[in-house]
Amino acid sequence: MTPKHTRRNFLLASSATVIGASAGVGARGQRFKVNLVEAEQRLDPPSSPVCISSGNGLRAVERAHARILAGDDTALAVVNGVGIVEADPKDMSVGYGGLPNENGVVQLDASVMHGPTHKAGSVGAIEDIMHPAAVALKVLQTTDHVMIVGRGAYEFARVHGFKKEDLLTDKARQAWARWKQNRSNRDDWLNRDEMDWSSDGTRVGLGDQNNEPVPFTYGTIHCAAVNPKGDVSACTTTSGLSYKIPGRVGDSPIIGAGMYVDNEIGAAGATGRGEAVVQSCGAFAVTQAMAAGMEPTQACLHVLKKIVSNSTKQRRLMRENGKPSFNVIMYALRKDGVHGSAAMFPNATYTVADGQGARSLKCAVLFE
Ligand code: ASP
């Protein structure tokens, strides 16, 4: 094989074509091609491990980084790192203490992906198990499947020795009780005038604009790592949208939406409105933008713009000022250790651990 036809060159070239074509501008395609050459020259692994996480993941990146230095595989390290936050009742967006669904039941979603084998595992709407990311890792390691959901995921976890635990803390139960008491129309069931389509598939008339911000609590932890061999892994774990319809699965356990790894390129993840991320294949799109030569932060911003343009076709998701009524944050870690993150709105942070220690950084912003 000549260098021109290595697997990586093939991947980079094919993604450039797709993205260039979707932009529909020949001249842009040209620019991507120039960037491809630059990207190939840059993608050597970092000399020491680099781990990134969402803003709530400072302890997770510290732990993941330490585990990699101690010899752990990157997938094991990121799952171990997020385990700290899954077990922390103070974080009401992940694992134990996470806010429950409409019925007061905590249902968790998680996924993990291992770059060197390009294998993924995930669980959706799992109950009574504190560490869904570790269960997702078991799916990856011990089955030929990618995703196991609901009761099946719980039973699978029990087979692997995970303990049955009550995940609903008093604080989360009280928050749910307050929501239930005051809920009025603050739920996920669309009113007739909020629907873009009626249940029989007939287009619904415009009705009244509803520009209320989406009134729910989001929160999740994403964590990605690359080691000096250039092995990349990532995971995302969450209790999902609070007070969701029972059985609702967000973007976090969906490979390519809330998390994705391509060992030739890097990793990406998302937090925020899962429905918007799923409908734009967010994490996959970020890795493809990096493959096309964009810097990680630029790749995140590029995908956020696409998410906005796709999502705001649903008029209830748009405010009068033309901005979306929800937030999404994208995270990107390239194979060479360069990282970035971008949010739709100001004040979001992400975390990193590398040779210089663990710290929080500001996310780039789409709408200042
Ligand atoms: N993305 C998660 C979900 O939609 C929630 C979040 O990140 O805040 O389930």
Side-chain angles (χ1 to χ4, degrees):
M1 242 183 208
T2 64
K4 240 176 117 187
H5 295 99
T6 61
R7 180 165 175 266
R8 186 173 77 189
N9 287 351
F10 172 73
L11 281 170
L12 292 170
S14 38
S15 24
T17 313
V18 171
I19 291 174
S22 76
V25 184
R28 277 197 145 185
Q30 286 301 322
R31 205 183 72 218
F32 287 146
K33 273 187 191 148
V34 172
N35 284 343
L36 280 181
V37 176
E38 292 166 4
E40 282 181 67
Q41 284 167 355
R42 279 195 307 258
L43 291 186
D44 290 331
S47 52
S48 70
V50 181
C51 306
I52 69 162
S53 181
S54 35
N56 54 350
L58 195 60
R59 289 171 299 164
V61 285
E62 255 178 337
R63 161 89 60 94
H65 191 262
R67 291 310 316 161
I68 295 172
L69 288 178
D72 271 6
D73 176 274
T74 49
L76 267 56
V78 291
V79 168
N80 194 316
V82 300
I84 300 175
V85 182
E86 287 175 328
D88 180 358
K90 290 194 292 304
D91 191 316
M92 297 177 81
S93 68
V94 179
Y96 177 55
L99 288 166
N101 68 15
E102 225 181 54
N103 292 347
V105 176
V106 179
Q107 289 188 323
L108 306 176
D109 295 338
S111 63
V112 57
M113 197 156 175
H114 180 239
T117 53
H118 202 72
K119 205 158 186 296
S122 82
V123 291
I126 187 172
E127 296 175 15
D128 298 329
I129 300 289
M130 192 182 290
H131 292 292
V135 183
L137 184 62
K138 285 283 179 209
V139 174
L140 183 159
Q141 290 171 321
T142 69
T143 80
D144 189 40
H145 301 324
V146 169
M147 188 170 203
I148 305 182
V149 303
R151 185 76 198 167
Y154 167 77
E155 282 166 6
F156 175 82
R158 297 285 293 137
V159 166
H160 283 283
F162 289 84
K163 274 193 300 197
K164 179 180 193 316
E165 291 176 277
D166 183 1
L167 304 180
L168 188 67
T169 56
D170 273 350
K171 196 170 168 204
R173 184 185 48 71
Q174 282 160 11
W176 167 70
R178 276 198 306 278
W179 169 80
K180 209 165 162 56
Q181 203 146 17
N182 303 313
R183 60 196 274 190
S184 67
N185 65 348
R186 291 157 59 100
D187 60 25
D188 289 304
W189 302 87
L190 299 183
N191 299 327
R192 191 180 156 77
D193 62 3
E194 292 174 311
M195 286 186 209
D196 296 288
W197 294 90
S198 65
S199 51
D200 66 359
T202 314
R203 185 101 200 182
V204 173
L206 275 182
D208 292 331
Q209 287 281 341
N210 180 345
N211 291 318
E212 285 290 308
V214 177
F216 297 104
T217 313
Y218 292 91
T220 291
I221 181 165
H222 167 73
C223 187
V226 60
N227 68 14
K229 282 194 284 180
D231 291 343
V232 186
S233 295
C235 75
T236 299
T237 172
T238 188
S239 54
L241 175 62
S242 57
Y243 322 132
K244 58 196 173 188
I245 295 173
R248 176 265 190 188
V249 166
D251 58 323
S252 309
I254 296 183
I255 310 308
M259 189 276 315
Y260 189 70
V261 174
D262 185 323
N263 214 46
E264 317 289 336
I265 301 162
T271 60
R273 181 178 158 78
E275 281 70 10
V277 176
V278 170
Q279 288 166 146
S280 295
C281 301
F284 179 74
V286 169
T287 60
Q288 295 306 286
M290 289 197 287
M294 287 188 200
E295 292 289 320
T297 305
Q298 290 311 315
C300 292
L301 285 166
H302 170 78
V303 172
L304 287 182
K305 278 186 207 155
K306 186 66 184 158
I307 288 175
V308 170
S309 91
N310 286 341
S311 306
T312 51
K313 289 173 184 152
Q314 300 168 50
R315 63 197 185 288
R316 74 182 190 291
L317 297 178
M318 203 164 163
R319 292 181 204 267
E320 268 160 16
N321 61 11
K323 294 177 185 170
S325 61
F326 60 89
N327 202 0
V328 170
I329 307 174
M330 302 294 323
Y331 311 87
L333 174 63
R334 209 170 50 189
K335 187 183 176 71
D336 59 356
V338 176
H339 49 83
S341 172
M344 286 186 184
F345 298 106
N347 302 323
T349 58
Y350 75 109
T351 52
V352 59
D354 55 15
Q356 271 110 60
R359 59 203 180 275
S360 291
L361 298 172
K362 274 193 164 173
C363 301
V365 183
L366 185 60
F367 298 110
E368 287 293 348

